[in-house]
C-alpha cells in the first residue's frame, strides 16, 4: 500500500525497474522481428475457409469498405443507418470479424468488458453472456452486425486488395484484388486494423525447426485436437509442447496448453502483469432493464474514468478503471495536501498509484505460485502501463501443474532454435510442437501492415505522403486523397483500452460526410491543406500517454524502447484533451452539418 512504502522502497523499485529494462533494451528495436516467410509463409493463409472459385467482378461501387472487422462493420452499419445502400465490404478473411476471425486460439477472449467492447449491442439487440466474453461469441457478434445491416450479401470475402488508385477523370478509386476484380469505388473507407499482421521472433535458427510450429493467430486444431471453445486438446497428451511469448495472447492460451500437453515449456523473456479478472455472467433480467442509449453512456463512463475523469459511478469497474481511479484520487489527495495541480503532481500521483498496484500484482504471484524460483521469475518489474496489462484468474495457477515448466530467459529471449527444439542458456529443450505467441506488427508502416498502397491525386502514394508520419484531419481525411476515409484511432481519440469506441464515434462522422456529399451531389471531398496542417499542429502540441517513456521496459507500447521519431510521434498522436474531448468535438463538428476543414467539389 502507498502509505507503507518509504522513499527508499520507492527508490529501490526505480533501480530494479531500470535494471530489468536495461537487460531488455536492444538497438534493433522493432527490426528484431521477422516476417512470416519460408517455412512460415503459410502463416498468412486462411486455414478456416476454403477458397471458393468465383468469376472476377467488374463493377461500380458507391462505398467500398476495406476490412470486415469491427472497424469496417461498424462504419458499414453507420452508412446503412445514414441511408447509403450500396456498401461493399472486402476482406481477405473468409468471413467477417477481423482479429476475431483470425484469432481462434484456445482461451481467446476479450479482457475489455463486453458491455463497452462489443459495438452496436443496442442496435443488434444483443445480450452478452458475461462481463468478458470468449472469442467465438465475439465473432458471432460480428456476424450479427453484418446480418442486421445487410452487409454480408455484397461482401467480397476471401479477397485481398492489391491496389487502390484514384482516377481524377472518373472521380473514383480503381481497386484491383487478388481475385481479378476491378472495382470503381466512389468512396473508399479503410478499416484494416492495428494488430493483424503476425510477426515472428527474430531467433536464430527459427526456420530450421523440423517439428510442428504455428503462430497463435492461426491455431492448428487439426494437429492439437480441441476447438476454439476450449475443449481439451487431446492430441497433445503425448507431446512435448513449447510456447514462445508471454504477452496477452499467451496468457490466455497457456492454461489450456498446460491442461492438455504431455510436457509443456513456457519460454519467457518478460513476464506480463497479471491482475485479477473476476468474470461473471450477465443477468438477462438486469440487462433488459437498461434504458435506451445505455451503451453510449457506458462507453463514455468507461473512457471518462479510464482517462482520469470524474463520474458518479464506475459502471464497468475493472482493472482498467481501477488503476486510473487510483491515480485520480491520489492526485486529489496531493492537491488537498497543498500540491499544485499540474504535470508534476499528476506524475507523482501516477507513480504512487502504480507502485501500489504493481506491488499487489507481484504479491498475487507469491500468493498463487508454490515454487519460490518460479514465483520470482513471474514477477513483472516495470510500471503497469509500460506493457499491455493482462487480467486472468487461471494463468499463474498453470505454473503449479507438474507438467508445466517456466523457462525464464532473464530478459534475453530464446537463444536459438534448431531442428529438434529450443536452446536457452546452453540448455536444449527438445519439442514436438512450438507455439509462437510473438504478436503482431505495430511500429511498421500503415501500408505495409494493410498489404496494399493507395495512390491519390497525381499518383502520389499514401506510403510516400506518410513517409514521415501520418497526416490527416481528425485521423480520417487525408489531403490529396479525395473520398478516402481512414477508420482508426490515431490522430483522433486514441482510445486504445476500448478500440471499437473509436469506430462507433468516427463512423457517425464518416457516414454524415458521405450522406451529405451524396445529398448535395458532390464528386469529391477532401480536407483543405490548411485544415490538415492545423490539425497536425494541434494534436502534436501536447503528447499524452507513456509512449516513449525511457524508463519503461521495451515493448510495442513504447516503440520497443527506441527513441520516438517524428514519424512515431505523428502516428501516435491524438486529441490533446483526450478521447472524450475528441468524441465531443467530432460530434459537434458533424452535427453543425458544415464539416469545417473539408472541401467539397461538384
Ligand atoms: P505481444 O506483442 O503482446 O507479445 C509477444 C510476446 O513474445 C512477448 O511476451 C515478447 O516478449 C515475446 N517475444 C518476442 N520475441 C521473443 C524472443 N526472441 N524470445 C522470447 N520471447 C519473445 O503479442 P500478443 O499476441 O500476446 O498480444 C498482442 C496484442 O493483441 C495485445 O497487446 C493486445 O492488444 C491484443 N490482445 C488483446 C486481447 C484482449 O483480451 N483484448 C487478448 C490477446 C491479445 P517481450 O515482452 O520481452 O517483448
Amino acid at each position: 500500500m502507498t502509505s507503507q512504502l518509504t522513499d527508499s522502497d520507492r527508490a529501490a523499485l526505480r533501480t530494479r525497474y531500470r535494471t530489468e529494462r536495461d537487460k531488455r533494451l536492444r538497438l534493433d528495436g522493432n527490426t528484431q522481428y521477422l516476417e512470416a516467410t519460408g517455412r512460415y509463409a503459410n502463416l498468412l493463409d486462411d486455414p478456416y475457409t476454403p477458397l471458393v472459385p468465383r468469376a472476377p467482378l467488374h463493377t461500380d461501387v458507391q462505398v467500398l469498405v476495406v476490412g470486415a472487422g469491427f472497424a469496417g462493420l461498424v462504419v458499414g452499419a453507420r452508412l446503412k443507418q445514414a441511408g447509403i445502400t450500396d456498401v461493399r465490404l472486402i476482406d481477405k478473411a473468409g468471413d467477417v470479424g477481423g482479429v476475431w476471425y483470425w484469432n481462434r486460439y484456445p482461451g481467446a477472449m476479450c479482457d475489455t468488458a463486453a458491455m463497452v467492447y462489443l459495438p452496436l449491442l443496442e442496435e443488434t439487440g444483443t445480450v452478452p453472456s458475461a462481463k468478458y466474453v470468449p472469442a467465438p461469441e465475439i465473432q458471432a457478434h460480428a456476424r450479427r452486425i453484418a446480418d442486421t445491416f445487410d452487409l454480408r450479401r455484397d461482401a467480397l470475402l476471401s479477397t485481398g486488395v492489391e491496389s487502390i488508385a484514384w482516377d481524377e477523370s472518373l472521380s473514383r478509386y480503381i481497386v484491383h484484388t487478388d481475385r481479378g476484380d476491378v472495382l470503381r469505388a466512389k468512396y473508399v473507407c479503410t478499416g484494416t486494423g492495428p494488430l493483424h499482421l503476425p510477426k515472428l521472433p527474430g531467433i536464430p535458427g527459427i526456420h530450421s525447426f523440423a517439428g510442428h510450429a504455428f503462430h497463435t493467430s492461426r491455431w492448428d486444431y487439426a494437429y492439437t485436437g480441441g476447438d476454439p471453445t476450449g475443449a481439451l486438446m487431446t492430441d497433445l497428451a503425448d507431446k512435448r509442447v513449447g510456447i514462445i511469448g508471454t504477452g496477452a495472447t499467451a496468457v490466455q492460451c497457456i492454461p489450456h496448453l498446460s491442461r492438455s500437453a504431455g510436457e509443456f515449456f513456457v519460454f519467457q523473456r518478460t513476464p506480463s502483469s497479471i491482475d485479477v479478472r473476476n468474470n461473471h455472467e450477465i443477468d438477462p433480467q438486469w440487462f433488459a432493464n437498461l434504458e435506451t442509449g445505455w451503451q453510449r453512456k457506458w462507453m463514455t463512463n468507461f473512457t471518462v474514468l479510464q482517462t482520469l475523469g470524474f463520474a458518479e459511478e464506475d459502471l464497468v469497474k475493472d482493472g482498467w478503471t481501477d488503476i486510473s481511479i487510483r491515480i485520480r484520487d491520489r492526485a486529489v489527495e496531493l492537491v488537498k495536501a497543498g500540491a499544485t495541480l499540474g504535470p508534476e503532481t499528476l506524475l507523482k500521483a501516477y507513480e504512487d498509484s502504480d507502485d501500489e498496484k504493481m506491488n499487489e500484482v507481484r504479491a498475487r504471484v507469491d500468493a498463487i505460485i508454490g515454487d519460490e524460483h518460479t514465483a520470482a521469475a513471474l514477477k513483472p518489474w516495470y510500471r503497469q502501463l509500460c506493457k499491455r496489462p493482462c487480467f486472468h484468474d487461471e494463468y499463474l495457477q498453470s505454473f503449479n501443474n507438474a507438467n508445466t515448466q517456466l523457462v525464464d530467459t532473464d530478459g534475453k529471449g530464446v537463444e536459438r532454435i534448431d531442428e529438434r527444439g529450443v536452446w536457452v542458456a546452453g540448455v536444449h529443450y527438445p519439442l514436438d510442437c512450438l507455439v509462437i505467441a510473438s504478436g503482431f506488427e505495430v511500429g511498421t508502416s500503415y501500408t505495409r501492415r494493410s498489404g496494399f498502397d493507395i495512390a491519390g491525386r497525381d499518383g502520389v502514394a499514401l506510403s510516400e505522403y506518410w513517409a514521415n508520419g501520418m497526416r490527416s484531419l481528425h485521423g480520417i481525411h487525408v489531403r490529396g486523397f479525395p473520398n478516402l476515409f481512414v477508420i482508426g484511432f490515431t490522430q483522433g481519440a486514441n482510445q486504445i483500452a476500448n478500440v471499437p469506441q473509436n469506430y462507433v464515434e468516427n463512423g457517425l462522422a464518416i457516414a454524415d460526410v458521405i450522406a451529405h456529399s451524396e445529398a448535395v451531389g458532390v464528386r469529391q471531398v477532401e480536407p483543405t491543406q490548411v485544415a490538415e496542417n492545423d490539425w497536425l499542429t494541434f494534436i502534436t502540441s501536447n503528447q499524452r500517454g507513456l509512449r516513449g517513456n525511457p524508463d519503461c521496459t521495451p515493448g510495442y507500447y513504447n516503440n520497443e524502447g527506441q527513441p520516438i521519431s517524428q514519424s512515431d510521434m505523428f502516428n501516435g498522436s491524438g486529441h490533446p484533451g483526450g478521447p472524450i474531448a475528441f468524441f465531443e468535438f467530432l460530434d459537434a463538428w458533424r452535427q453543425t452539418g458544415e464539416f469545417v476543414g473539408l472541401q467539397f467539389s461538384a
Side-chain angles (χ1 to χ4, degrees):
M1 293 292 144
T2 315
S3 52
Q4 291 164 341
L5 280 175
T6 62
D7 285 350
S8 86
D9 291 335
R10 291 185 194 286
L13 273 181
R14 308 280 166 286
T15 308
R16 179 76 195 259
Y17 288 0
R18 284 196 197 111
T19 309
E20 294 295 332
R21 174 207 59 189
D22 291 349
K23 283 181 194 171
R24 291 165 174 85
L25 277 177
R26 31 194 297 173
L27 287 174
D28 53 2
N30 248 318
T31 58
Q32 70 182 278
Y33 294 103
L34 306 175
E35 281 183 85
T37 56
R39 180 197 186 306
Y40 298 96
N42 67 351
L43 278 189
L44 301 181
D45 293 347
D46 182 348
Y48 314 120
T49 310
L51 198 66
V52 180
R54 65 167 175 82
L57 209 63
H58 288 73
T59 188
D60 286 337
V61 182
Q62 195 176 21
V63 188
L64 185 75
V65 182
V66 186
F70 279 142
L73 288 167
V74 169
V75 167
R78 292 301 196 208
L79 287 163
K80 290 285 178 98
Q81 286 175 320
I84 307 290
T85 50
D86 183 8
V87 179
R88 202 183 271 277
L89 264 55
I90 185 165
D91 200 302
K92 48 183 177 277
D95 200 353
V96 301
V99 289
W100 299 107
Y101 173 85
W102 297 112
N103 285 278
R104 300 183 184 199
Y105 58 85
M109 68 187 317
C110 183
D111 55 19
T112 301
M115 296 285 282
V116 295
Y117 180 78
L118 293 181
L120 308 180
L121 283 175
E122 284 189 86
E123 291 84 344
T124 53
T126 310
V127 186
S129 67
K131 182 166 182 177
Y132 305 101
V133 292
E137 184 172 334
I138 304 175
Q139 206 201 338
H141 183 61
R143 285 196 292 265
R144 192 175 304 114
I145 295 175
D147 293 337
T148 305
F149 293 95
D150 194 19
L151 293 165
R152 190 191 289 279
R153 192 156 38 110
D154 291 332
L156 290 177
L157 299 169
S158 303
T159 303
V161 167
E162 287 191 330
S163 65
I164 302 182
W166 177 250
D167 184 322
E168 182 73 20
S169 62
L170 296 175
S171 279
R172 282 183 179 260
Y173 283 98
I174 309 301
V175 180
H176 288 266
T177 77
D178 59 6
R179 306 293 293 271
D181 309 307
V182 183
L183 310 168
R184 293 172 299 273
K186 178 158 181 192
Y187 306 96
V188 169
C189 305
T190 55
T192 48
L195 284 162
H196 85 286
L197 188 61
K199 66 185 188 206
L200 298 174
I203 301 170
I206 187 167
H207 282 91
S208 66
F209 183 62
H212 204 77
F214 54 86
H215 190 273
T216 47
S217 65
R218 302 291 190 278
W219 198 272
D220 190 351
Y221 286 105
Y223 176 86
T224 62
D227 62 37
T229 68
L232 201 66
M233 293 175 279
T234 45
D235 295 340
L236 294 182
D238 59 348
K239 302 279 192 307
R240 286 171 64 93
V241 181
I243 187 166
I244 292 180
T246 49
T249 298
V251 164
Q252 294 182 338
C253 67
I254 279 171
H256 293 264
L257 285 167
S258 176
R259 265 199 292 280
S260 302
E263 284 179 83
F264 181 40
F265 303 87
V266 178
F267 299 100
Q268 172 181 273
R269 188 164 70 176
T270 310
S272 280
S273 70
I274 316 290
D275 207 349
V276 287
R277 165 179 287 155
N278 273 338
N279 200 6
H280 60 76
E281 287 179 4
I282 284 182
D283 174 5
Q285 210 88 57
W286 166 82
F287 189 90
N289 288 328
L290 294 169
E291 285 166 16
T292 307
W294 69 266
Q295 196 177 25
R296 200 168 200 208
K297 185 174 150 202
W298 274 64
M299 281 186 174
T300 303
N301 177 269
F302 177 73
T303 303
V304 163
L305 291 172
Q306 210 249 321
T307 51
L308 307 187
F310 291 87
E312 268 175 24
E313 58 179 323
D314 179 0
L315 291 168
V316 169
K317 230 180 186 333
D318 69 357
W320 293 106
T321 55
D322 176 54
I323 180 71
S324 34
I325 288 174
R326 287 180 196 224
I327 299 168
R328 183 200 68 190
D329 291 351
R330 179 78 182 126
V332 171
E333 251 174 63
L334 290 169
V335 169
K336 278 191 184 153
T340 315
L341 184 61
E344 254 177 56
T345 303
L346 282 176
L347 182 65
K348 169 128 182 66
Y350 166 67
E351 292 191 345
D352 286 358
S353 315
D354 186 77
D355 288 344
E356 176 190 324
K357 167 60 87 178
M358 290 304 280
N359 272 354
E360 286 171 22
V361 165
R362 288 184 286 264
R364 184 167 185 245
V365 177
D366 281 329
I368 293 172
I369 301 291
D371 176 70
E372 203 182 309
H373 293 290
T374 308
L378 283 167
K379 285 183 194 165
W381 294 100
Y382 48 82
R383 298 203 173 283
Q384 193 186 32
L385 298 178
C386 285
K387 282 191 175 280
R388 171 67 154 73
C390 296
F391 309 91
H392 214 284
D393 294 337
E394 291 161 59
Y395 171 74
L396 292 169
Q397 290 79 350
S398 306
F399 295 94
N400 290 332
N401 295 340
N403 69 334
T404 301
Q405 186 183 335
L406 178 70
V407 183
D408 182 46
T409 66
D410 196 24
K412 295 183 196 66
V414 165
E415 194 176 297
R416 67 192 161 92
I417 295 176
D418 67 13
E419 209 174 298
R420 293 182 48 247
V422 163
W423 288 87
V424 172
V427 178
H428 188 243
Y429 297 86
L431 298 174
D432 299 304
C433 173
L434 182 60
V435 179
I436 301 172
S438 52
F440 304 88
E441 289 196 11
V442 175
T444 51
S445 79
Y446 181 82
T447 46
R448 172 182 155 129
R449 277 179 286 128
S450 57
F452 56 86
D453 211 340
I454 303 177
R457 189 177 291 116
D458 302 324
V460 174
L462 191 61
S463 56
E464 206 180 306
Y465 191 61
W466 284 357
N468 295 316
M470 182 178 179
R471 315 181 71 87
S472 76
L473 175 67
H474 308 161
I476 297 173
H477 314 275
V478 186
R479 175 75 183 167
F481 294 79
N483 301 4
L484 176 72
F485 299 81
V486 179
I487 317 167
F489 49 82
T490 49
Q491 303 203 340
N494 245 7
Q495 163 54 319
I496 58 162
N498 186 23
V499 170
Q501 189 183 7
N502 302 278
Y503 307 150
V504 168
E505 297 295 334
N506 294 14
L508 286 170
I510 292 171
D512 274 7
V513 172
I514 293 180
H516 171 78
S517 303
E518 289 301 290
V520 299
V522 304
R523 282 167 70 82
Q524 299 185 14
V525 50
E526 70 180 300
T528 65
Q529 192 65 66
V530 171
E532 188 181 90
N533 292 348
D534 287 353
W535 185 253
L536 205 58
T537 306
F538 175 60
I539 59 172
T540 51
S541 62
N542 173 15
Q543 291 295 303
R544 291 170 63 90
L546 274 179
R547 200 170 149 78
N549 183 334
D551 289 339
C552 269
T553 192
Y556 80 81
Y557 269 25
N558 53 56
N559 198 32
E560 298 291 341
Q562 296 306 301
I564 300 296
S565 63
Q566 176 199 294
S567 167
D568 297 320
M569 190 177 76
F570 284 6
N571 295 344
S573 292
H575 192 291
I580 292 293
F582 177 76
F583 293 140
E584 285 175 353
F585 160 79
L586 194 67
D587 216 31
W589 178 85
R590 75 178 176 87
Q591 292 210 36
T592 62
E594 289 171 22
F595 308 110
V596 175
L598 290 184
Q599 170 185 310
F600 295 86
S601 38

